[in-house]
Amino acid sequence: MAARVHTGRRGRGLAIPSATPYHRNVGYLGVVPELRGRGYVDEVLAEITRFHAANGEPRVTATTDVGNAPMAAAFRRAGYRNTEIRINLSNDLPVSTP
């Protein structure tokens, strides 16, 4: 699977599809910082979704942080739906010195 760059007229963003043994994923996407807030995320997300669909994938998954409301909204606009919530926990253990 190759990374794909959404070139548009101005090189608006980057789209990197990914895969696990279970699903094909959105992977990573980004919009050029000075162009954020203009809806280009929808174009970049559509590019990744089309890439997987063109390869015959019946399901594409995606993840975002709970606090990333703009990305969650982009997923909803593209027809993605929330199917699960994952909670990541960590424990910062003290570093022992020899």
Side-chain angles (χ1 to χ4, degrees):
M1 178 176 314
R4 298 189 35 115
V5 177
H6 179 77
T7 55
R9 287 176 295 182
R10 298 176 58 192
R12 296 176 180 158
L14 175 70
I16 303 175
S18 66
T20 70
Y22 310 103
H23 301 291
R24 299 303 175 251
N25 303 300
V26 168
Y28 177 82
L29 66 85
V31 174
V32 175
E34 60 269 17
L35 298 176
R36 290 179 184 160
R38 300 180 188 180
Y40 296 131
V41 67
D42 295 334
E43 294 177 24
V44 179
L45 179 55
E47 177 66 20
I48 296 174
T49 305
R50 282 190 298 269
F51 173 81
H52 286 309
N55 288 306
E57 298 303 330
R59 182 176 189 213
V60 179
T61 62
T63 60
T64 190
D65 296 327
V66 172
N68 191 344
M71 191 70 247
F75 286 134
R76 283 190 299 277
R77 286 192 303 274
Y80 287 76
R81 60 186 170 80
N82 189 2
T83 58
E84 63 186 73
I85 296 174
R86 181 174 65 191
I87 299 173
N88 294 318
L89 305 172
S90 66
N91 185 352
D92 296 329
L93 302 174
V95 176
S96 61
T97 57

